[in-house]
Amino acid sequence: MKINILKQELVEALNAIGRVMGSNVAIPLLKGFVISAKGDQITMFATNTDISTKAIIKAEIFEEGEIVIADGKLFNDIIRKLPKDEVKLEVKEGNIEIKSGRSKSKLQIIGTEDFPKAPTFKEDKSFKIKGSTLKELISKSVFAIATDEVRPVLTGVYFEVKSGLLNLIALDGIRLSHTYTTVSDEAEGLSAIVPGKGAIEISKAIEEDEEITLAFSSNHCLFKTDSKEIVVRLLDGEYIKYSSIMPTEFSKTITTGKKEIVDAIERAAIVAKEGSNPIILLIENGKLNITAKSQLGCTSEDITVEESGADSLEIAFNNKILLEGLKAASSEKVKLQFNSSTSPCLIVPSDDSDEAFEYLALPVRIRS
Amino acid sequence: MKINILKQELVEALNAIGRVMGSNVAIPLLKGFVISAKGDQITMFATNTDISTKAIIKAEIFEEGEIVIADGKLFNDIIRKLPKDEVKLEVKEGNIEIKSGRSKSKLQIIGTEDFPKAPTFKEDKSFKIKGSTLKELISKSVFAIATDEVRPVLTGVYFEVKSGLLNLIALDGIRLSHTYTTVSDEAEGLSAIVPGKGAIEISKAIEEDEEITLAFSSNHCLFKTDSKEIVVRLLDGEYIKYSSIMPTEFSKTITTGKKEIVDAIERAAIVAKEGSNPIILLIENGKLNITAKSQLGCTSEDITVEESGADSLEIAFNNKILLEGLKAASSEKVKLQFNSSTSPCLIVPSDDSDEAFEYLALPVRIRS
């Protein structure tokens, strides 16, 4: 293998495969990555067995070949520090030689036989989606996945195509986040659980203005552009029937500025976090009063809201659950819908927003 | 106590005392800080017993008083998040009430009796110095202090005034950093060991364009401006006679661009750090060749240097020791002076710089 390539191109390709490389500490071999040179392009492949990433770049190839660079991070560090834009890579006596200007390094390589292959992928359903849209869908759902492994399916984001809509759902037992967009008919009927880490990896690899092909087989999901591919192993199991959890009627509704309520809850959260005390919302006479208490002190603040529905309501939440849901909304105003102090609250963008997002938060019991 | 004050003023005062507050975890009381209101100003005082900090700000005072706010960090977090610029502080029923806009918080306070007092300070020697100068002196020395406690005096920076020069020295047994400036006669004869942490704290509190009074007693050092004071407890003991360590004659000298040599050593360091291998300098025929090896690979690079002195020289260093010294120099060119592969190298700015800095680095033995 003998290649001339631009440093910047190599750096971008290493960025694309770098987060996966070496993240499976149980298999030291996976600290490395495959680099193969063929025709006029280089393909770089790294995997942690759950997520596989591939980057494809143009290069001047004098001699084709395929090797594994044993320590991907070391290679990455060296490439970034090279003195010149031109980089020469050449396999010599069981090493790869990296030359740039008057700097010369040799790194250990190994054969490709033992390195895991890219998963074989038999496409089942696929659709195209704009990078910015997919990024937004993932960011508005993935934060709500479960972080413990009690129910493994809940550590993933549920992708579902139903009636022409791609729904993304995440829930962890005390909240549920749901966001959606329209997609093409071919994907109708799709349902898949993408692990949270895989969803985040895809989201990080996306450029806002790219058009992306997202394809699903029974075991894997493939994210693809001209210059990169990510294959994520799906989670096995059946996802929770989320639509049956969603309340459809409410006895009390308030509408308020998103920034206003987020800021006030964040202030209350400073005191509440000592001992993870709840924050308490009291809705009364067109006013939302937000309070929190801990052994170190207490805090209280009123904000003005539009209120509908009879009677006053007092309801308590873990501040993190409420804040993350409110922050995920991108509308200027948000609507909070309640039934009682023990039933979940549904947060949606206010009526004059066309944002496709809803968030359900379970309250906590108020200690008296 | 009843005060009106601007949020920004409070934030700045909390910045000044915040790094010390709560850093002595052995004494929970020191999570708090003293706030006293008298005349038209507020004084805030925090201490970790080694370092004491005081901030003085103007405020509208309706009722004088002095209390300890039990949890300084909580107070700090709340102040930063207040919705309005105007802040009202008032002691009410054993709490301090913080009001701003429609937000109201109450935090626990305690009496001042048990809180440590500011150290009494009987000035011995003092001088004035420009903030930017003191900042530079500290940054060019403090990185070279010892980080272990084998010889406690070496964890401090040595301040010494001799023949009208303020010298700052730090050394850890394998390198020595020395930097200096002129100061007024009154400080002649001063010698004091300022703990590394204290020196860093002073450096952080300094504004570039402030004129600072630095005063020393037998046990403490005081750093003072109109709005803040830091008192640092000095280290006990006798400092090493550094001037006797400094070689004065050299058999070989090279001069080279600082960026050029730093970049090349950093590239070698990427490979060398695996297993903390040394980097090897070979000086020969007007060329400096820099190499490093580890089990994962090797790297080599030539740079052109001005060379004087006979014969070639091969010498090895821990890359960190060499890099930190070279980086501390601010001149464009640096001079490296040697005697043999086993004697220390003296790094100084090149002749056409008026930078007051010298750095001594011990080599390591070359493994054959």
Side-chain angles (χ1 to χ4, degrees):
Chain A
M1 195 164 76
K2 193 172 168 187
I3 307 162
N4 278 10
I5 190 166
L6 286 175
K7 177 180 165 184
Q8 194 45 39
E9 299 265 336
L10 260 182
V11 166
E12 277 168 30
L14 286 164
N15 282 346
I17 65 163
R19 282 184 300 271
V20 163
M21 193 165 65
S23 68
N24 186 335
V25 289
I27 310 179
L29 187 67
L30 301 185
K31 280 168 68 181
F33 70 95
V34 177
I35 176 163
S36 57
K38 203 173 174 183
D40 64 347
Q41 69 186 27
I42 291 182
T43 307
M44 285 156 68
F45 171 72
T47 180
N48 67 10
T49 69
D50 287 330
I51 307 174
S52 302
T53 55
K54 202 180 271 183
I56 300 144
I57 39 173
K58 296 269 174 232
E60 202 181 342
I61 293 172
F62 301 100
E63 203 182 299
E64 297 188 339
E66 185 174 55
I67 54 160
V68 172
I69 291 179
D71 189 320
K73 186 176 176 306
L74 190 56
F75 181 81
N76 192 352
D77 290 347
I78 288 175
I79 296 299
R80 272 160 217 272
K81 279 272 182 191
L82 289 179
K84 301 281 177 193
D85 287 338
E86 294 80 27
V87 182
K88 291 176 199 291
L89 300 177
E90 186 175 356
V91 171
K92 271 188 177 171
E93 300 155 11
N95 290 301
I96 184 156
E97 187 179 85
I98 306 158
K99 278 167 87 171
S100 176
R102 287 159 73 179
S103 153
K104 189 168 83 179
S105 305
K106 281 182 193 167
L107 293 186
Q108 198 191 328
I109 60 171
I110 42 184
T112 54
E113 313 78 39
D114 298 330
F115 203 85
K117 301 281 168 280
T120 50
F121 190 87
K122 199 161 156 281
E123 187 175 312
D124 183 10
K125 307 245 179 218
S126 79
F127 54 88
K128 287 192 191 303
I129 189 165
K130 227 186 133 208
S132 53
T133 307
L134 184 56
K135 244 176 145 69
E136 197 183 341
L137 289 176
I138 292 174
S139 81
K140 282 184 171 174
S141 52
V142 72
F143 71 91
I145 61 169
T147 50
D148 61 45
E149 297 272 342
V150 179
R151 293 190 68 177
V153 292
L154 298 189
T155 64
V157 176
Y158 187 56
F159 281 62
E160 175 202 59
V161 179
K162 209 157 93 178
S163 322
L165 286 183
L166 167 68
N167 296 296
L168 265 67
I169 296 103
L171 70 90
D172 66 0
I174 46 174
R175 40 96 172 263
L176 181 158
S177 178
H178 174 210
T179 174
Y180 49 97
T181 189
T182 50
V183 284
S184 63
D185 289 348
E186 300 99 82
E188 190 66 31
L190 162 75
S191 72
I193 310 169
V194 179
K197 276 184 193 156
I200 290 167
E201 188 50 42
I202 289 172
S203 176
K204 280 189 178 155
I206 294 170
E207 311 283 339
E208 296 271 336
D209 52 2
E210 278 178 329
E211 185 163 71
I212 292 150
T213 302
L214 212 55
F216 290 79
S217 72
S218 55
N219 298 316
H220 291 96
C221 148
L222 166 72
F223 150 90
K224 194 175 165 175
T225 70
D226 288 341
S227 63
K228 59 204 163 204
E229 286 179 25
I230 300 178
V231 177
V232 177
R233 183 195 303 278
L234 299 176
L235 290 174
D236 264 343
E238 195 145 346
Y239 202 73
I240 286 175
K241 300 232 175 318
Y242 71 94
S243 53
S244 65
I245 302 172
M246 285 300 203
T248 48
E249 288 189 352
F250 302 94
S251 64
K252 190 151 198 74
T253 297
I254 59 170
T255 305
T256 183
K258 180 192 142 181
K259 185 178 175 342
E260 214 177 337
I261 189 168
V262 164
D263 284 354
I265 295 174
E266 283 188 334
R267 284 190 279 273
I270 296 169
V271 169
K273 75 179 169 187
E274 305 291 333
S276 53
N277 301 282
I279 59 149
I280 296 164
L281 311 185
L282 175 64
I283 305 157
E284 209 169 31
N285 307 325
K287 243 178 36 191
L288 168 65
N289 174 255
I290 299 170
T291 55
K293 243 186 227 170
S294 73
Q295 64 180 71
L296 292 166
C298 62
T299 181
S300 166
E301 183 164 350
D302 288 336
I303 64 177
T304 311
V305 296
E306 294 163 43
E307 180 186 1
S308 75
D311 304 336
S312 69
L313 175 72
E314 194 179 36
I315 186 166
F317 292 94
N318 170 306
N319 72 73
K320 180 170 166 280
I321 296 298
L322 211 49
L323 277 174
E324 290 186 346
L326 286 165
K327 283 183 180 174
S330 40
S331 58
E332 270 187 34
K333 285 179 140 195
V334 287
K335 200 154 87 174
L336 285 76
Q337 297 160 298
F338 308 88
N339 277 311
S340 74
S341 63
T342 53
S343 54
C345 157
L346 187 72
I347 299 172
V348 292
S350 75
D351 301 329
D352 50 5
S353 159
D354 56 0
E355 198 191 350
F357 175 65
E358 53 181 355
Y359 182 83
L360 197 68
L362 266 188
V364 298
R365 196 172 291 276
I366 299 177
R367 284 178 285 184
S368 56
Chain B
M1 194 164 75
K2 194 172 168 188
I3 307 162
N4 279 9
I5 190 166
L6 286 173
K7 177 181 166 184
Q8 194 45 39
E9 300 265 335
L10 260 183
V11 166
E12 278 170 28
L14 287 163
N15 283 346
I17 65 165
R19 281 183 300 271
V20 163
M21 194 164 65
S23 68
N24 185 333
V25 290
I27 309 178
L29 187 68
L30 301 185
K31 281 169 65 180
F33 69 96
V34 177
I35 177 164
S36 57
K38 202 170 174 186
D40 64 349
Q41 68 185 28
I42 290 181
T43 307
M44 285 157 66
F45 171 73
T47 180
N48 67 9
T49 69
D50 287 329
I51 308 174
S52 302
T53 55
K54 202 180 271 183
I56 300 145
I57 39 174
K58 296 272 173 228
E60 203 181 342
I61 294 171
F62 301 101
E63 205 182 298
E64 297 187 339
E66 184 174 57
I67 54 160
V68 172
I69 291 179
D71 189 321
K73 185 176 177 306
L74 190 57
F75 181 81
N76 192 351
D77 290 348
I78 288 175
I79 296 299
R80 272 160 216 272
K81 279 273 183 191
L82 289 179
K84 300 282 179 192
D85 287 338
E86 295 79 28
V87 182
K88 292 175 198 288
L89 300 176
E90 187 173 356
V91 171
K92 268 186 177 172
E93 300 154 11
N95 290 301
I96 185 155
E97 187 178 85
I98 306 158
K99 279 167 84 170
S100 175
R102 286 160 74 179
S103 153
K104 189 168 83 177
S105 306
K106 282 181 191 168
L107 294 186
Q108 198 192 327
I109 60 171
I110 43 184
T112 54
E113 313 78 39
D114 297 328
F115 202 86
K117 301 283 169 276
T120 50
F121 190 88
K122 201 162 156 281
E123 186 175 310
D124 182 10
K125 307 245 178 218
S126 78
F127 54 89
K128 288 192 191 304
I129 190 166
K130 228 186 132 206
S132 52
T133 307
L134 185 56
K135 247 178 143 69
E136 198 184 339
L137 290 176
I138 292 175
S139 80
K140 283 186 172 173
S141 52
V142 72
F143 71 91
I145 61 169
T147 49
D148 61 45
E149 297 271 341
V150 179
R151 294 189 68 176
V153 293
L154 298 190
T155 64
V157 176
Y158 187 56
F159 281 63
E160 174 202 59
V161 179
K162 210 158 93 178
S163 319
L165 287 183
L166 167 67
N167 296 296
L168 264 69
I169 296 103
L171 69 92
D172 66 0
I174 46 173
R175 40 94 172 265
L176 181 158
S177 178
H178 172 212
T179 172
Y180 50 96
T181 188
T182 50
V183 287
S184 64
D185 290 346
E186 299 99 81
E188 191 65 32
L190 161 76
S191 72
I193 310 170
V194 178
K197 277 185 193 155
I200 291 168
E201 187 51 42
I202 290 171
S203 177
K204 282 190 177 154
I206 293 169
E207 311 283 340
E208 295 272 336
D209 52 2
E210 278 178 330
E211 184 163 71
I212 294 152
T213 302
L214 211 55
F216 291 79
S217 72
S218 55
N219 297 316
H220 291 96
C221 148
L222 167 72
F223 151 90
K224 194 175 166 178
T225 70
D226 289 344
S227 64
K228 58 202 164 207
E229 287 179 25
I230 300 179
V231 177
V232 177
R233 184 194 303 277
L234 299 176
L235 290 175
D236 263 344
E238 195 145 343
Y239 201 73
I240 285 176
K241 300 229 175 322
Y242 70 94
S243 52
S244 65
I245 302 173
M246 285 301 201
T248 48
E249 288 188 356
F250 302 94
S251 63
K252 189 153 200 73
T253 297
I254 58 171
T255 305
T256 183
K258 179 189 142 183
K259 187 177 173 343
E260 214 179 336
I261 188 168
V262 164
D263 285 354
I265 296 175
E266 282 186 335
R267 284 191 279 272
I270 295 168
V271 169
K273 74 179 169 189
E274 305 290 334
S276 52
N277 302 284
I279 59 149
I280 296 165
L281 311 185
L282 174 64
I283 306 157
E284 210 170 30
N285 307 328
K287 245 179 34 194
L288 168 65
N289 173 254
I290 299 170
T291 56
K293 244 186 226 166
S294 73
Q295 63 180 73
L296 293 166
C298 62
T299 181
S300 167
E301 183 164 349
D302 288 335
I303 65 177
T304 311
V305 296
E306 297 163 40
E307 181 187 359
S308 74
D311 303 335
S312 69
L313 175 74
E314 194 180 35
I315 186 166
F317 292 94
N318 169 306
N319 72 73
K320 179 169 167 280
I321 296 299
L322 212 48
L323 277 173
E324 290 186 347
L326 286 165
K327 283 184 180 173
S330 39
S331 57
E332 271 187 34
K333 287 180 140 196
V334 286
K335 199 154 86 174
L336 284 76
Q337 297 160 297
F338 308 88
N339 276 309
S340 74
S341 64
T342 52
S343 54
C345 157
L346 187 72
I347 299 172
V348 293
S350 75
D351 301 328
D352 50 4
S353 158
D354 57 359
E355 198 191 350
F357 175 65
E358 53 181 355
Y359 183 84
L360 197 68
L362 266 189
V364 297
R365 195 172 292 275
I366 300 176
R367 284 178 285 182
S368 56

